[in-house]
Amino acid sequence: MEFSYITKTVAKVMVPVILLSTFLSSAASAGMIETETVIAQSQMNMDKQQLLSLVQSDDVKQQLQSMGISSEDAEQRINALTAEELSALNQQLADAPAGGNAVIGALLVIFVLFVITDMACATDIFSFVKCVNK
């Protein structure tokens, strides 16, 4: 008789625990990831790292500061770029002549990017650029 009492007590405790764990567990789903998607993501990360390392160089930091742009602002803007914008920007930098002209070209591209984002009301870095949506 004592055995059935223990069995009933354990059953009364275990049934709610099992039901609760069943309802609270989340279902996992697996899917295939296309190779092109993985390659595109990898390329985007490489492009982003390449630009971030350029912004971290001392001469670029000095040029950005002379324009009134902090390197943190530049890094935030680079992190917000889409894959197409990153690719285009890196292609322009690759096509630029080596040496000082490449740095000036990179700074000019970053400056134009900031002006465009100010015009689109996405940022408010330069006071002389007016938002077109206002």
Side-chain angles (χ1 to χ4, degrees):
M1 183 123 175
E2 190 173 313
F3 181 71
S4 77
Y5 175 74
I6 293 174
T7 306
K8 286 181 183 180
T9 305
V10 170
K12 285 180 183 179
V13 172
M14 290 305 294
V15 168
V17 168
I18 291 172
L19 289 175
L20 186 62
S21 66
T22 301
F23 289 124
L24 293 180
S25 67
S26 62
S29 63
M32 295 295 292
I33 299 175
E34 294 183 12
T35 304
E36 293 82 17
T37 305
V38 174
I39 291 172
Q41 185 65 35
S42 175
Q43 184 64 41
M44 181 177 159
N45 290 338
M46 286 175 33
D47 289 345
K48 192 176 290 187
Q49 288 304 319
Q50 186 178 10
L51 282 175
L52 289 173
S53 66
L54 177 67
V55 169
Q56 289 301 319
S57 66
D58 291 334
D59 50 346
V60 173
K61 278 185 182 179
Q62 289 174 350
Q63 289 290 332
L64 287 173
Q65 288 174 351
S66 71
M67 295 173 157
I69 303 169
S70 70
S71 60
E72 291 81 23
D73 286 339
E75 289 174 11
Q76 288 175 353
R77 184 56 44 213
I78 289 170
N79 287 326
L81 291 174
T82 64
E84 293 81 20
E85 291 169 335
L86 277 170
S87 178
L89 187 55
N90 275 329
Q91 185 61 39
Q92 288 176 355
L93 291 176
D95 292 343
N101 290 337
V103 172
I104 292 172
L107 291 174
L108 183 60
V109 168
I110 291 171
F111 178 74
V112 169
L113 180 68
F114 283 146
V115 169
I116 291 171
T117 57
D118 273 4
M119 289 176 63
C121 305
T123 59
D124 188 22
I125 297 173
F126 302 114
S127 59
F128 60 88
V129 177
K130 302 298 179 201
C131 177
V132 294
N133 292 336
K134 290 183 180 179

